[in-house]
Amino acid sequence: MTVEYIKSMYSKFTSTIGESSVNREIRRPDWMHIIRSQAFANLWYKSHRAHSNGLTVVRVRGTDELHVTGDWRTVFTEGRLTTQMKQKDQYPLPRKSAR
């Protein structure tokens, strides 16, 4: 329960810390940029690690979305830490049409 509360509060904090009309009391664009920059760096590090270990990086999106082909569990452990991965969705890639 505590972990879910902290995740919820962190999510709300990061989504309203910048240019937000919702939370005018805490307006720290410098903090927002630092947090988002670190999130981008973590994601790009994961994509580099995936590629270096033979996975094909299909898409890197936002601050937390990495789409790869192959068995990512051979490279990453599953979990919620910044060094871990969590599967959100699994889908087949479109096949190339035979001409």
Side-chain angles (χ1 to χ4, degrees), residues 44-57 66 68-69 74-76:
W44 281 98
Y45 172 74
K46 286 179 186 176
S47 67
H48 175 71
R49 183 173 166 196
H51 176 74
S52 298
N53 284 283
L55 299 176
T56 301
V57 176
L66 177 62
V68 297
T69 61
T74 60
V75 179
F76 302 99

Side-chain angles (χ1 to χ4, degrees), residues 28-39:
R28 291 297 305 259
D30 53 334
W31 289 0
M32 178 194 64
H33 291 298
I34 291 168
I35 292 168
R36 287 183 53 83
S37 295
Q38 187 62 53

Side-chain angles (χ1 to χ4, degrees), residues 57-73:
V57 176
V58 177
R59 178 196 285 182
V60 178
R61 185 171 164 187
T63 59
D64 67 345
E65 223 176 291
L66 177 62
H67 298 247
V68 297
T69 61
D71 185 11
W72 60 270
R73 288 178 180 90

